[in-house]
Amino acid sequence: MKPETLARWESKIRPAIVSLGSPHQVTKLYSAGRKDFLAQLAEERPPIVRGSIVLQRTLWGLDFRSPIINAAGMWKNGRGYDVSFYQGAGGFLGGTTVWNDRIGNVKDGIENPFAPFPRSGMAGNSIGLRNSGDPEVAEWYENKIRVPDFPLGHSVMGSPDIKDRVEKIDRLVDGMRLYEEAGVDWLENNWSCPNT
């Protein structure tokens, strides 16, 4: 099933799904489904959305097709670059990574918990910075075929697994250098995670 179709159906049947199981069972189902959904969505190639010239912006000397881009938490490891372009975004921001690879949080036996809220259509999560690590993601960007006028940004932070503050900063700077060498246009330093 195409991700777009799945998303439409999910919004209609979410209240029924949530009512069928315990909160733990529902969170487990949605946590596993979220990973599959994002992997499928990253591979989508919908018809290209062309924005109006009125929407174009120049920021930091970079030309964006529109002022709208994805949030940093959505596309870990940068895999949503192409689908974001096709959907008409102005640029792309890769999800927060740290120096080392991380599996993220596991709570009550659920990997990367994602809990749907049936009435609001929103959700809560405790993903825990699941990512492949700066060296691997920077290498992926370096080999990525880029679209002109579709800037690539990436979100970084100091790894919560590195306890020594000097080493944490050193690895953060090392990761930033790798992204710069890979041709990333700008970096976002994620200071908002509670575990930094």
Side-chain angles (χ1 to χ4, degrees):
M1 181 180 299
K2 292 184 103 14
E4 182 180 348
T5 305
L6 181 60
R8 280 198 185 112
W9 276 101
E10 190 280 333
S11 68
K12 292 173 178 38
I13 63 173
R14 180 183 285 200
I17 292 172
V18 169
S19 69
L20 291 176
S22 70
H24 186 270
Q25 291 169 320
V26 171
T27 301
K28 193 171 188 173
L29 172 73
Y30 269 83
S31 299
R34 178 190 160 280
K35 285 181 237 170
D36 293 340
F37 175 81
L38 287 175
Q40 286 180 35
L41 182 58
E43 298 301 318
E44 281 292 297
R45 299 299 176 263
I48 295 176
V49 173
R50 302 262 183 224
S52 164
I53 194 162
V54 175
L55 297 174
Q56 293 177 351
R57 299 288 188 275
T58 299
L59 302 166
W60 315 298
L62 300 171
D63 295 324
F64 292 81
R65 298 187 307 165
S66 82
I68 300 170
I69 64 172
N70 58 286
M74 183 165 179
W75 295 110
K76 297 296 183 189
N77 304 322
R79 297 309 193 262
Y81 180 85
D82 293 326
V83 73
S84 294
F85 170 76
Y86 278 90
Q87 290 178 331
F92 177 78
L93 180 60
T96 306
T97 57
V98 298
W99 180 254
N100 54 297
D101 65 320
R102 288 177 49 88
I103 63 163
N105 291 336
V106 177
K107 304 220 184 232
D108 296 326
I110 301 173
E111 190 175 296
N112 310 131
F114 180 88
F117 305 140
R119 292 192 182 121
S120 68
M122 299 173 82
N125 73 68
S126 180
I127 307 298
L129 296 167
R130 178 187 184 99
N131 72 94
S132 299
D134 294 332
E136 183 175 316
V137 177
E139 182 179 349
W140 189 81
Y141 284 144
E142 192 167 1
N143 296 314
K144 179 79 191 118
I145 296 172
R146 301 268 304 276
V147 179
D149 297 326
F150 191 66
L152 168 62
H154 192 77
S155 179
V156 295
M157 69 175 263
S159 175
D161 301 324
I162 301 173
K163 302 306 178 199
D164 179 78
R165 289 181 182 195
V166 173
E167 183 184 356
K168 182 182 288 205
I169 295 296
D170 285 347
R171 295 300 77 76
L172 173 61
V173 171
D174 289 343
M176 293 167 78
R177 268 196 201 102
L178 290 176
Y179 290 115
E180 181 181 26
E181 292 166 4
V184 169
D185 296 305
W186 85 93
L187 293 173
E188 171 199 78
N189 197 339
N190 182 350
W191 294 106
S192 64
C193 282
N195 53 4
T196 48

